Structure formats: C-alpha cells, structure tokens
Amino acid sequence: MRKLQALKLKTRMILVLGIMTVVQTGVIGLVAVLTLHHSLDEQIGQRALDVAKTIAAMPNVRSAVERRDSDYLVPLSLTLAEQTQARFIVIGDRDGVRLAHPRAEMIGYSMADDDGDDNAPALRFGQTYLAKAQGSMGWSMRGKAPIFDEYGEQVLGIVSVGYHLDQVALTITRYSVTLIVVILLSFGVSAMIAIWFANHFKQAIFGLEPEQIGRLFSEQRATLESVKEGIIAINATGHITTINRTAVVALGLPEAQPHVGRPIEEVLPDSAMLDVLQSGEPQFDREVRRGERIIIANRIPLRQGDEITGVVSSFRPKDELAEVSKKLTRIQQYADSLRSQSHEYANKLHTIAGLIQIGATDEALALIGQETKAHQALIKLLLNAVPDPVLSGCLLGKYNRAKEMGLLLEIDPESHMAERPANIPAEDLVTIIGNLLDNALEATLAHQGKGGQVFLSMTDIGNDLVFEVEDQGGGVAETEHERIFEKGVSSKGETGRGYGLHLVKGILEDLNGTIMLEPSPQGARFVVYLPKQLVTPGKPEGSRDG
C-alpha cells in the first residue's frame, strides 16, 4: 500500500484503470469463450442428430440394413459423410454390429467395443440422442438415431453420425487470440484515457497529489477552528460546505446539530451570501444585525475561471471591533494628553528658568502664580462638577492640549456630571467626549487660528446625561449633517480621517444615546444625550445574516 502511495497520481491511475480493464475484459472474454464453446457444441450436436435422423429415415437404408448389405451401405455412408461434411457415418444392425464404417476393418464388429458409449437408448428404446465420447475415430460429437421398420414399430438398426471437435477447439483458439488482442488494445486505450484524465484532474486540483490535498484539508480545518473570526462557505447551489465553531457560536446556532450540507437559507434565512452568489460582487465591512448583536461581515465570491462556484463569508461581532477601536482611541488620547502636558510644562519651566537667570524674580513668581491659579481653578471645577477621575483626567488633558495649540477650552462653570450610571462605562464617556473635543479643537484651529475657543457644557439633571461641544470652525454644510457620521467621511477632506464621529455614533447606538449637530454663531454645536436608564428598544429583524 505504501509503495502504491509513493507513485504519482498519473501512474496510479494508469495502473488502476489498466488492471480494471484487463480484469473486466478477461472476465467478459472468459464468459464469452465458455458460452461460445457451449453454443458450438450444441450446434454441432444438433447437426449430427439431424443428419442421423435423416439417414435413418431413408427407405433404401432401411432395406439394406434388413438385408445386412454392407456392400451397399459402405459407399452410401461415405458419400453421405462427404456431402454433410461429417467426420464419419456408422451404420449398425439391431445388435449394434457395424454394417458400414469409414474403416473397412471395423465392419462386422460391435459398435460398443470401440465407440466408447452405450447404444441401448437407440436400439432398445428407439430414442434419438447426442453423445460426446472418444471412439475408434477419436473424440467426436455424435448424433444417434434408431432405424425403424416401415411401420415404425420395430428397431432394425442404428445410425451414428459424428463430427470431430477439432473445429470447435480451432474456433475457440482463434477467438482467444482475438480476445488477447482486444485486452491489450483495451489496456492501451485505458492508459491513454488515464493519462488524459489524470492531467485534467491534476489541473483541476492545481497539480497536487491526493496526499497533499489530504494534508491541506487537515491544515485548513485546523486553521478554520483556530481563527477568531466566524467563517461560512457555500457552494454554487447555496449549500453550506464549511462552517467553523466560531461562526456557530457567534450566530447562536445549535452546536450539536450538523450544518454542513444544509441550505444556507435554512440555517440563516435571507442570507446575503445568495446575493453575492448571483451577482458575483464582493461585500466588505457590512453591518448585520443578528438578534441583539451586530456583526461586521465580509463576503467574497469564489471563482473557477469565469464561473462562480461559491461564496465565503467571514465576520466578527461589532462590539469586539468597537472595543479595539475604543482602546486605541483611549491610548491615543492619553498619549496626546501626556505629550501636551509635558510640552506645556517644559515651556513654562524654560520661561521661569530664564526669568530667574536674568533676575526677573517678580515676573517669574507672577507667572508661577498665574499658572497655578488657572490650573487650580480648573482642578477645583473638575473636582466639584466631575468627580469621576477618568473623565476629569480626559478633560484636563484636552485643556492642556488646547493651550498647546494656542486655543482655549472653556468648560461651563455651571457644568455638573456627578451621577454616572453604572451601565455607562467611563471609558465610553472618555471616547465620546475626547473625539468630539479633538474634532472641535482641530476645526477651530483650522478656521480661527490661534486664540480660538471651544466650549464644553455638561449636565446630569433629568433623565439624560447631556454634553454640548461648540467650536469656532465655521460650521458644517447642512447637506453633510447626515454623512458626517459615516465612516471615512470628514469635513477636512484628508485621507485617514472620518473615523472619530463614526466611532462616537456607534457607541451611542450601543448605549441607546443620540447625537445632534446644530449650527452655532461661529461654528458647529454637537449635543449628546445619554439616557441614565438602559432600555433595550425593539429592533427590526429585517437585517440579513452571514
């Protein structure tokens, strides 16, 4: 078995198809030879029997047998044997004694002595019959018929007509040679077909050997089960060919039930994979609602030449992607805050050090007091209005970044954000406020230049947390009010932009919050509403899965 596996696919197919052809042709040929042999025996036997009955019914033969006239019967039997192409014709009397025989020395002797068979069925019972035996003339097929008197009552003698079986053997030999030639030709044709089929088959499997395909299949299964993304594949008829465990868990499908081989519509009704199968157009980063969860799906058609043979869909829950985005955003915000604070305090320290070196101690003390007074006022406001340390740290960092940019972040002194419900993570608040303030600072700097202001107001009075961020960035065109929250859309028109507001919008949707864009005297105002009580609204089920 190992030696067979070591051979190339083409060699294996030639051997397998060749052996199958030889075996099939050989079995069919053997059956045909046996059938032909039996058929020829029957034909020769029937011919011998017909000739024997015809001779036995001849009146002149009957009369000569009654007279025991061998002189008449011998030449007659020889003539009849030549005419019927029989090997011999032997005529005997009622006692089985030969009256005519091709060999004169055998006349007068009993047919049973040398003919090798019993003549009793014909002589005693008047029956015609066939016999294959070796007699004085060798192996032959014999037809024996009784000779009756003119009334058909009394047996007068017997006629034995024999045909040699040499012709049968010769015919079988010729057929066997033909059969061997056919087997050899069939093997050659099978080898050619095997070569063509192997080449075509290997082209279809990219030149791989069966063992390589087996290893690749095992690797594929292990890879599919190890990735964190859900993966589903369907064939051209819409039946599932591959689905990994992550997909089963993410889609909430029963794990004990087999899904491979089932129609995709039966597993995931109204799946958009069928649209891709029909159109051949891939779909990327499509948001799909699955119950209470939202997943991000990619769907790519599989092609073999110009034909679409299936579709592969990979997806991950949106909350995982959003969590990664939020973490990256928070890290960026913390880095910006630290960099701004470091840069700002380095500048202040350099200025104070310079004033001290030139002896302007009063100015140095005044600068220190001014800086301390401004920060103390901000810190006091944050301590009273925003006791949450995460949110306070974010606002303090944005304040320092605004100063570094030459802008002023003004926080409404009437702001109050003491009650943060447990269902609203502080990290989500940081992401929302941080992105809005970053956008406002950049828009103000681009439109107003240094000296511009950004205003922030917060309140937790009532049933909602309300945040207002107002900039001096010149505003947003009314036609862009809806598009500004789409991924990749930015009023700055730069590549790599347009993700902050999209992320804010996604977090607010998860928290059942809303965001509104309003015009302000010098720019735009973003108003965020976050309900304190988390209520799961009814969501439409029309979205597609997979």
Side-chain angles (χ1 to χ4, degrees):
M1 188 64 179
R2 291 183 178 179
K3 292 182 178 179
L4 182 61
Q5 291 179 348
L7 299 176
K8 296 293 184 181
L9 177 63
K10 184 184 298 186
T11 306
R12 275 185 273 179
M13 294 188 72
I14 293 174
L15 289 177
V16 171
L17 289 179
I19 292 174
M20 287 179 59
T21 301
V22 170
V23 171
Q24 291 177 349
T25 309
V27 170
I28 294 173
L30 179 61
V31 173
V33 167
L34 295 176
T35 303
L36 178 62
H37 193 284
H38 180 71
S39 177
L40 291 175
D41 279 353
E42 285 187 346
Q43 291 179 15
I44 293 176
Q46 188 62 43
R47 184 177 182 182
L49 195 60
D50 291 341
V51 172
K53 289 193 298 183
T54 300
I55 295 174
M58 295 173 64
N60 52 345
V61 172
R62 182 189 311 121
S63 300
V65 169
E66 285 181 333
R67 299 191 308 269
R68 299 181 62 83
D69 189 353
S70 296
D71 294 337
Y72 176 79
L73 291 174
V74 170
L76 177 63
S77 65
L78 293 176
T79 302
L80 292 175
E82 183 179 357
Q83 292 176 349
T84 59
Q85 298 181 345
R87 180 68 183 85
F88 62 84
I89 295 178
V90 178
I91 302 174
D93 61 12
R94 70 184 59 183
D95 297 322
V97 176
R98 300 186 187 93
L99 298 177
H101 193 280
R103 294 165 57 184
E105 67 270 15
M106 302 298 295
I107 298 175
Y109 293 95
S110 175
M111 297 173 63
D113 293 341
D114 297 316
D115 285 359
D117 65 273
D118 186 9
N119 296 313
L123 296 176
R124 294 183 183 180
F125 306 106
Q127 298 176 353
T128 58
Y129 66 96
L130 288 172
K132 182 190 290 187
Q134 183 177 13
S136 60
M137 300 298 292
W139 278 99
S140 60
M141 179 69 71
R142 306 167 186 182
K144 294 181 180 285
I147 302 173
F148 291 97
D149 60 13
E150 58 182 336
Y151 302 106
E153 297 178 355
Q154 184 178 1
V155 176
L156 302 177
I158 184 174
V159 176
S160 177
V161 179
Y163 285 85
H164 267 214
L165 297 179
D166 295 345
Q167 187 66 31
V168 175
L170 182 60
T171 303
I172 297 300
T173 300
R174 286 201 306 266
Y175 185 83
S176 299
V177 172
T178 303
L179 177 64
I180 293 174
V181 173
V182 171
I183 290 176
L184 294 177
L185 290 176
S186 300
F187 183 83
V189 172
S190 299
M192 294 174 60
I193 294 175
I195 293 173
W196 172 83
F197 184 73
N199 290 334
H200 177 74
F201 186 71
K202 291 204 70 174
Q203 184 179 3
I205 59 176
F206 304 102
L208 299 174
E209 295 293 327
E211 292 75 20
Q212 293 175 313
I213 295 176
R215 287 194 298 270
L216 288 176
F217 179 77
S218 300
E219 293 173 4
Q220 180 205 45
R221 295 302 308 173
T223 302
L224 288 176
E225 295 301 331
S226 65
V227 298
K228 293 185 178 180
E229 287 196 349
I231 297 177
I232 301 178
I234 61 174
N235 57 18
T237 61
H239 289 73
I240 296 176
T241 57
T242 300
I243 181 169
N244 63 354
R245 187 175 181 278
T246 304
V248 173
V249 174
L251 297 174
L253 302 176
E255 297 187 38
Q257 183 177 356
H259 302 291
V260 174
R262 298 174 59 191
I264 187 66
E265 285 188 329
E266 180 181 319
V267 179
L268 298 173
D270 298 325
S271 173
M273 296 178 71
L274 295 178
D275 294 340
V276 177
L277 186 63
Q278 293 177 358
S279 65
E281 296 295 329
Q283 298 177 357
F284 299 102
D285 297 332
R286 298 294 179 93
E287 291 191 4
V288 178
R289 189 177 299 279
R290 177 69 178 174
E292 297 299 326
R293 302 187 70 183
I294 298 178
I295 61 177
I296 306 298
N298 296 302
R299 308 178 186 97
I300 301 175
L302 300 176
R303 298 180 183 273
Q304 190 167 7
D306 296 331
E307 182 182 0
I308 299 176
T309 59
V311 177
V312 174
S313 174
S314 62
F315 54 89
R316 293 189 70 174
K318 182 181 178 181
D319 50 3
E320 292 184 11
L321 300 176
E323 186 64 27
V324 173
S325 299
K326 286 190 288 186
K327 288 181 179 179
L328 292 175
T329 301
R330 287 198 296 270
I331 292 172
Q332 182 64 41
Q333 290 173 349
Y334 294 152
D336 290 343
S337 298
L338 292 174
R339 182 176 56 81
S340 298
Q341 293 182 31
S342 175
H343 188 269
E344 181 186 4
Y345 282 109
N347 289 336
K348 300 294 184 183
L349 289 176
H350 291 159
T351 303
I352 293 172
L355 291 173
I356 293 175
Q357 288 178 1
I358 63 176
T361 55
D362 294 337
E363 289 79 358
L365 291 173
L367 180 58
I368 294 172
Q370 178 185 356
E371 187 64 26
T372 304
K373 181 180 179 181
H375 272 80
Q376 287 298 326
L378 176 61
I379 291 173
K380 182 178 180 180
L381 172 62
L382 293 177
L383 288 175
N384 293 330
V386 189
D388 189 301
V390 178
L391 184 56
S392 296
C394 175
L395 295 177
L396 183 59
K398 297 305 177 186
Y399 178 84
N400 292 327
R401 182 167 184 243
K403 292 188 66 176
E404 180 187 4
M405 298 169 66
L407 303 175
L408 175 62
L409 173 59
E410 183 176 341
I411 300 177
D412 187 352
E414 301 297 327
S415 295
H416 191 267
M417 192 57 60
E419 296 185 18
R420 180 181 61 80
N423 60 282
I424 301 178
E427 292 79 3
D428 288 349
L429 282 181
V430 168
T431 302
I432 294 171
I433 301 303
N435 277 290
L436 291 177
L437 289 176
D438 284 341
N439 285 349
L441 292 172
E442 292 177 2
T444 300
L445 180 63
H447 185 266
Q448 195 75 14
K450 293 186 178 182
Q453 293 182 339
V454 173
F455 302 93
L456 171 64
S457 174
M458 303 172 290
T459 180
D460 55 7
I461 300 174
N463 296 325
D464 299 320
L465 304 184
V466 182
F467 300 88
E468 293 186 16
V469 177
E470 184 177 341
D471 60 41
Q472 296 178 343
V476 179
E478 187 174 352
T479 56
E480 298 291 321
H481 279 201
E482 293 297 329
R483 293 187 66 250
I484 198 69
F485 296 102
E486 296 179 7
K487 182 167 61 176
V489 176
S490 173
S491 59
K492 303 175 183 63
E494 301 176 11
T495 57
R497 297 280 189 171
Y499 293 94
L501 290 179
H502 176 74
L503 180 59
V504 169
K505 182 76 170 178
I507 296 174
L508 289 173
E509 288 178 354
D510 294 338
L511 298 176
N512 297 326
T514 58
I515 183 170
M516 298 175 59
L517 173 57
E518 303 173 351
S520 68
Q522 300 185 57
R525 179 187 298 113
F526 289 87
V527 183
V528 173
Y529 297 92
L530 275 172
K532 294 180 180 179
Q533 298 295 328
L534 181 59
V535 179
T536 304
K539 297 182 180 180
E541 296 297 332
S543 300
R544 292 184 166 187
D545 298 326

